[in-house]
Amino acid sequence: QMCIRDRCGAISQYNAAAPVPGPDNLALAIGKRLTLRGFIVTDHMHLAKEWIPQAAQWLRAGELRAEETVVEGIDQTVGAFLGLLRGANTGKMLIRLP
């Protein structure tokens, strides 16, 4: 349930003149009765002994890939960092050193 000022629920957004905080498709989540639960990798550390060899095998086979943004040269560090803050990266933002 989303609360805006003193009004709560989806009805409070029906006549909103400007975008309201939160997802713009919240009605779909309500209609599908979705539940949102965060994922923290450390909650699953007991699976690490199984995961590491499997992930290593997939990496060697080229079946597991991660998208990342690579910027060339230490002199581009400030621009890369500012880009990271703006969301200009895909995946990790990396600086490749010569």
Side-chain angles (χ1 to χ4, degrees), residues 8-81:
C8 291
I11 292 175
S12 67
Q13 302 174 28
Y14 285 177
N15 296 318
V20 295
D24 61 359
N25 57 356
L26 188 58
L28 293 174
I30 294 167
K32 295 179 183 210
R33 284 143 179 85
L34 298 182
T35 299
L36 176 66
R37 183 172 56 178
F39 175 87
I40 300 175
V41 73
T42 55
D43 290 345
H44 306 280
M45 290 304 289
H46 65 283
L47 299 172
K49 288 181 181 178
E50 178 182 344
W51 166 251
I52 292 170
Q54 180 65 65
Q57 178 182 342
W58 289 334
L59 281 168
R60 282 190 300 275
E63 296 171 359
L64 180 63
R65 294 180 299 278
E67 292 186 29
E68 55 197 20
T69 301
V70 181
V71 176
E72 299 288 337
I74 193 79
D75 56 326
Q76 301 300 314
T77 302
V78 172
F81 179 69

